[in-house]
Amino acid sequence: MKNQLNRLLLLLRQRWPLALIAFIPVVVMEILSRGQYIETITWGFKHVLELLFNEWIVLSLLLLFIAMIGRTKIAYWVVSALLLSLALISGIKLKILGVPLTPWDIVLAGEASDMVKYLSNIFSFNILIMIVFFLASSYYLLYRTPLFMKKVALKERGILAIIALAMLTAVYTDLPLPIQKWFGIKASVWNQVENTTTNGYALATVLNTKSMLFDKREGYDDKAVEAIVSQTPKPIKAGDPGNPVKPNVIVVLSEAFWDPTVIKGATFSKDPIPFFHKLQQTGTSGTMLSPQYGGGTANVEFEVLTGNSMRFLPQGSIAYNQFITGEVDSLASIYARQGYTSTAISPFYNWYFNSNKIYKDFGFSKYIPIEYFKPNYSGPYIADHEVAANIIHATELSDGPDFVFANTMENHFHFYPGKFPKNNFDVSGDMSPSSQGMLETLAQGINASDNMLKELVEYYERKGEPTIIAFWGDHLPALGDDYATYIDTKYISGKDDPDFLKKMYSVPLVVWNNFDTERKDKLDISPSFLGPYLIELSKQQGSYYTDFLSQLVKKIPIIPPKDYYQAMNINEQDLKNYDTLQYDIIFGDRHAYKDYKVPIINSKYMLGFGPITLNTVEADSRDISGRSSITLSVKGNNLPPLGFVTLNGKAVPTTWQDEHNLTAKVEGSLLKAGIWDIQVHVKDSKETTVGKSNTVPIEIGGR
């Protein structure tokens, strides 16, 4: 027994330095994620227990990797590299979007790639000094002191693995001693900045993982949902029931569209959005309080299309990627039940934000992603004009009324000078050259958005079909790190500006229509209330949910983050029924859907404007003798601009002419006599086939 105790004490003496060296990445992580030395030091003194929890987590990870690898020093560098990389990315995200990195960001590889362009911005002198300190101190302790063993025996590795897993389980479950509960340590999922600022990055990350698993809610059942629905008054359906108006409803989410002319310290050489300003003055307009700043477009889509609110979900989460697991009633399915063709249009990849699956779950019949666009670019992204052309084309193809939801990309972050081939705007004022350059780039981008809006309005005005166009920006543009341009131009005084929420999250909105031209409403709402408004304006029947929201908006038109409830005189109890109905839809048993007689998901859902069909394939010669190539003329319907011809499954160079005609050149090893099976394919950026036509065989003879 004595010998065993001595061996244990010896093992502890050999391993206690691990706790010492684990403290180094904890400190460096905090500095990288916060971007400041002083704030990290202050936090350490004020939140000693939280600091110890961060040390506990890092140490347990270090022990786990030592158990896996068997080499102390390699395990340390691997764990440190992983943790410091996450902290660095979190600091970048915090600077650009005002929200730190959260566990659910891992699924957003596309958004993260945008931030990589800004890596240089965070490598300030102070941060570089911190990294040098980390490398130097770690190297000294690991290689210039006898504190650390190189290799760990297999038996000890098993013991370390058990200890590490027990440590991680203890901090995750707060057992066997509920220390977190005793000292009030918890995740502020509704305010991730406060969460990481108070708890530290490692502990905040662990606590956030708990919020990703929603427990069964108390008091939630079929009767609770029925009671809320039954208490909701049914809105009176406007119009003649025998001959209802069925206008087209076109909803355009314009990327980072905002009105920079409200900055008093900036003067523009000309109005970048004159048509938008005209509609503001002559028709329905207002603002929406976006749940996002600088990014996270999908969350704004989610609110507008479904009527659900991000305010009831953890800050930093993405509903499309995390919470939508099946059909969800939306504006697309609501309008589809009344004879509308519902089309989603997006000039980006079909897989981004899980859009292909989401739009199907929402009840759209068609989705037009970038793979079906003409490659008409303005700067790094598809031009807004091309989006407008696809909206118009979609409504031309259908016989009845259309619901179209479209978003744009031309004005997408970032806003460095030279982003567009030409810039027609000058900005002057007391500001830095960096701020001036970004505002001029923004002006050029939103001018294209304004021209798109004008193109749509003028087209449907000429056409004469009853039409509604709702046009707004999803969030303010991220103009520099830490709101640099907004502070530089004195639009806000800083992050503590008393009007920070209103100024940095309010986006402009206009709603135009050509059949009720006298109507001029003032809308100051949350995005989740736009859908019920459009249903009422279009004189169509909504759902139990839009009926509920139509009543709630009269009392609470704007739902801010929870920490603003008191300042905006909002009683959280007044939102309890809303939260319950949303819970039923996203996490619950969807009790309120049980009476639906028409499926939400459209069984004929497809990508593209219609089925890709080949009618005829003609070769400029049916005999390959003496020829180095054969040109094929392919005729059909809905031939996509980025589609390509395959011959017996092999891709051949293809030239698109229009949606009915393309040509392909066959040469090289494919130039063989026999039966050629010709087909058209469409692939996305991941080389996944997202569309293909029927096959047409032709017989080729010769050598």
Side-chain angles (χ1 to χ4, degrees):
M1 182 69 179
K2 185 177 180 180
N3 290 335
Q4 291 177 340
L5 181 60
N6 288 335
R7 282 198 297 268
L8 179 61
L9 291 174
L10 177 62
L11 182 63
L12 291 175
R13 282 198 300 271
Q14 291 175 334
R15 294 293 172 248
W16 76 263
L18 292 174
L20 171 65
I21 201 168
F23 186 71
I24 296 174
V26 170
V27 173
V28 178
M29 261 197 335
E30 289 304 314
I31 292 175
L32 291 176
S33 63
R34 298 167 188 265
Q36 296 183 19
Y37 295 105
I38 301 300
E39 184 181 334
T40 301
I41 295 170
T42 303
W43 168 76
F45 281 107
K46 286 185 176 180
H47 300 275
V48 176
L49 189 58
E50 287 87 346
L51 174 62
L52 292 176
F53 266 111
N54 280 265
E55 164 78 7
W56 180 281
I57 293 166
V58 174
L59 177 59
S60 61
L61 289 173
L62 179 56
L63 293 177
L64 184 61
F65 272 75
I66 291 174
M68 293 168 58
I69 299 173
R71 294 177 178 270
T72 301
K73 296 174 183 179
I74 295 176
Y76 174 78
W77 291 119
V78 170
V79 170
S80 296
L82 175 63
L83 295 178
L84 298 190
S85 296
L86 292 174
L88 181 63
I89 295 172
S90 182
I92 295 171
K93 188 184 176 194
L94 182 63
K95 280 179 172 290
I96 298 173
L97 303 181
V99 181
L101 190 73
T102 56
W104 38 83
D105 283 313
I106 295 173
V107 298
L108 298 178
E111 286 281 316
S113 66
D114 282 337
M115 294 176 203
V116 171
K117 302 169 187 175
Y118 276 73
L119 277 171
S120 59
N121 289 15
I122 199 169
F123 282 116
S124 64
F125 179 75
N126 290 338
I127 296 300
L128 290 174
I129 289 294
M130 197 68 248
I131 293 175
V132 170
F133 163 76
F134 161 72
L135 294 173
S137 57
S138 299
Y139 177 81
Y140 176 79
L141 288 175
L142 286 172
Y143 299 99
R144 290 292 181 263
T145 69
L147 297 174
F148 302 94
M149 295 176 62
K150 290 183 179 180
K151 295 183 180 180
V152 180
L154 185 61
K155 185 176 180 180
E156 184 184 342
R157 288 167 63 181
I159 296 172
L160 290 178
I162 294 172
I163 293 173
L165 292 173
M167 290 173 66
L168 287 172
T169 302
V171 73
Y172 185 82
T173 61
D174 201 25
L175 295 172
L177 297 176
I179 297 175
Q180 296 171 30
K181 183 178 180 180
W182 289 345
F183 289 91
I185 297 175
K186 58 183 179 179
S188 300
V189 294
W190 315 112
N191 189 332
Q192 289 296 336
V193 175
E194 178 183 319
N195 194 20
T196 53
T197 300
T198 302
N199 294 317
Y201 184 70
L203 178 59
T205 300
V206 171
L207 295 176
N208 273 331
T209 58
K210 295 182 182 181
S211 68
M212 296 174 70
L213 302 173
F214 285 79
D215 297 326
K216 188 73 174 179
R217 182 170 300 192
E218 292 184 8
Y220 162 78
D221 55 24
D222 189 61
K223 291 182 179 179
V225 174
E226 284 185 357
I228 298 170
V229 174
S230 63
Q231 293 169 8
T232 303
K234 302 293 181 185
I236 299 173
K237 185 177 176 181
D240 179 4
N243 185 28
V245 176
K246 286 189 178 293
N248 298 319
V249 180
I250 299 170
V251 181
V252 179
L253 184 157
S254 183
E255 175 63 39
F257 182 84
W258 181 65
D259 185 357
T261 65
V262 301
I263 301 176
K264 295 181 180 179
T267 301
F268 292 79
S269 56
K270 54 184 175 180
D271 187 352
I273 49 173
F275 192 76
F276 186 89
H277 285 149
K278 175 185 175 182
L279 294 186
Q280 279 184 316
Q281 296 167 4
T282 58
T284 293
S285 65
T287 61
M288 288 199 297
L289 189 69
S290 175
Q292 302 295 136
Y293 165 78
T297 299
N299 285 343
V300 187
E301 277 193 27
F302 167 73
E303 291 208 4
V304 170
L305 286 172
T306 69
N308 295 310
S309 176
M310 289 302 301
R311 303 304 186 195
F312 305 135
L313 299 172
Q315 186 189 36
S317 61
I318 300 294
Y320 280 8
N321 295 92
Q322 293 171 247
F323 308 126
I324 306 300
T325 58
E327 62 181 15
V328 174
D329 205 20
S330 73
L331 290 179
S333 51
I334 289 171
Y335 279 109
R337 288 196 290 269
Q338 297 167 84
Y340 280 67
T341 299
S342 294
T343 304
I345 298 175
S346 175
F348 213 55
Y349 304 114
N350 75 92
W351 49 261
Y352 197 61
F353 283 131
N354 213 16
S355 296
N356 192 0
K357 178 183 180 299
I358 294 299
Y359 291 144
K360 181 178 181 180
D361 288 342
F362 284 0
F364 283 95
S365 60
K366 296 179 183 178
Y367 171 31
I368 318 298
I370 193 173
E371 292 85 0
Y372 290 82
F373 270 66
K374 295 178 185 177
N376 180 8
Y377 285 78
S378 176
Y381 300 107
I382 292 287
D384 284 3
H385 166 74
E386 190 60 34
V387 180
N390 281 344
I391 292 172
I392 291 170
H393 185 51
T395 60
E396 286 176 338
L397 289 176
S398 68
D399 296 328
D402 287 276
F403 171 75
V404 178
F405 175 81
N407 55 42
T408 69
M409 285 292 292
E410 183 172 351
N411 194 47
H412 192 276
F413 158 97
H414 39 74
F415 301 95
Y416 56 82
K419 174 182 177 180
F420 299 111
K422 185 178 180 182
N423 198 309
N424 299 311
F425 294 88
D426 296 317
V427 175
S428 59
D430 183 14
M431 67 188 76
S432 68
S434 174
S435 297
Q436 179 183 358
M438 282 191 282
L439 284 175
E440 289 175 349
T441 300
L442 174 65
Q444 186 68 31
I446 61 174
N447 181 247
S449 306
D450 190 66
N451 289 334
M452 172 197 183
L453 175 61
K454 182 179 180 182
E455 182 179 355
L456 289 173
V457 168
E458 290 182 346
Y459 171 82
Y460 290 101
E461 213 164 27
R462 290 193 305 271
K463 191 170 185 182
E465 282 186 11
T467 300
I468 297 168
I469 299 176
F471 184 98
W472 84 101
D474 51 349
H475 51 70
L476 267 70
L479 301 177
D481 295 346
D482 291 325
Y483 315 102
T485 295
Y486 299 102
I487 295 174
D488 186 28
T489 57
K490 299 179 178 58
Y491 176 68
I492 57 173
S493 58
K495 295 180 184 179
D496 56 351
D497 190 296
D499 292 325
F500 184 84
L501 179 69
K502 181 178 180 181
K503 289 181 177 179
M504 298 307 299
Y505 287 85
S506 293
V507 292
L509 159 75
V510 294
V511 180
W512 172 87
N513 80 83
N514 60 354
F515 59 90
D516 191 358
T517 55
E518 297 300 315
R519 185 160 181 169
K520 187 175 182 180
D521 297 323
K522 183 65 176 176
L523 300 177
D524 291 302
I525 56 176
S526 284
S528 57
F529 294 126
L530 179 62
Y533 176 81
L534 294 176
I535 289 170
E536 183 272 324
L537 179 62
S538 62
K539 301 178 174 63
Q540 301 306 304
Q541 187 64 53
S543 67
Y544 76 94
Y545 201 28
T546 60
D547 292 349
F548 171 82
L549 295 176
S550 294
Q551 297 301 314
L552 181 62
V553 71
K554 297 174 183 177
K555 185 174 184 179
I556 307 176
I558 298 174
I559 304 177
K562 285 188 177 181
D563 45 1
Y564 283 86
Y565 281 6
Q566 184 175 357
M568 297 180 68
N569 298 315
I570 294 175
N571 184 345
E572 190 169 354
Q573 279 298 114
D574 292 336
L575 293 171
K576 185 177 179 181
N577 286 346
Y578 188 4
D579 191 5
T580 299
L581 290 181
Q582 177 168 315
Y583 181 90
D584 178 55
I585 293 169
I586 300 178
F587 307 110
D589 299 321
R590 302 180 178 182
H591 297 291
Y593 286 0
K594 65 182 181 181
D595 295 329
Y596 280 29
K597 295 178 174 59
V598 178
I600 291 172
I601 295 177
N602 190 314
S603 60
K604 297 181 180 179
Y605 170 81
M606 65 167 55
L607 297 188
F609 291 102
I612 305 172
T613 56
L614 301 188
N615 297 329
T616 62
V617 177
E618 297 292 339
D620 61 354
S621 173
R622 291 292 184 116
D623 189 337
I624 63 173
S625 300
R627 296 181 64 96
S628 60
S629 67
I630 294 288
T631 298
L632 302 177
S633 297
V634 180
K635 295 184 180 298
N637 297 314
N638 302 309
L639 303 179
L642 300 182
F644 59 92
V645 169
T646 63
L647 188 164
N648 297 334
K650 302 291 185 180
V652 296
T654 303
T655 301
W656 184 84
Q657 296 175 340
D658 57 43
E659 62 186 307
H660 299 293
N661 298 277
L662 53 80
T663 59
K665 189 174 183 180
V666 181
E667 55 189 349
S669 61
L670 293 179
L671 201 61
K672 298 178 181 178
I675 300 299
W676 289 5
D677 286 334
I678 305 301
Q679 196 174 28
V680 171
H681 286 244
V682 184
K683 288 188 176 182
D684 63 18
S685 62
K686 295 184 177 183
E687 291 298 309
T688 301
T689 298
V690 294
K692 58 185 178 181
S693 71
N694 57 304
T695 300
V696 174
I698 61 172
E699 186 173 0
I700 300 294
R703 63 176 187 272

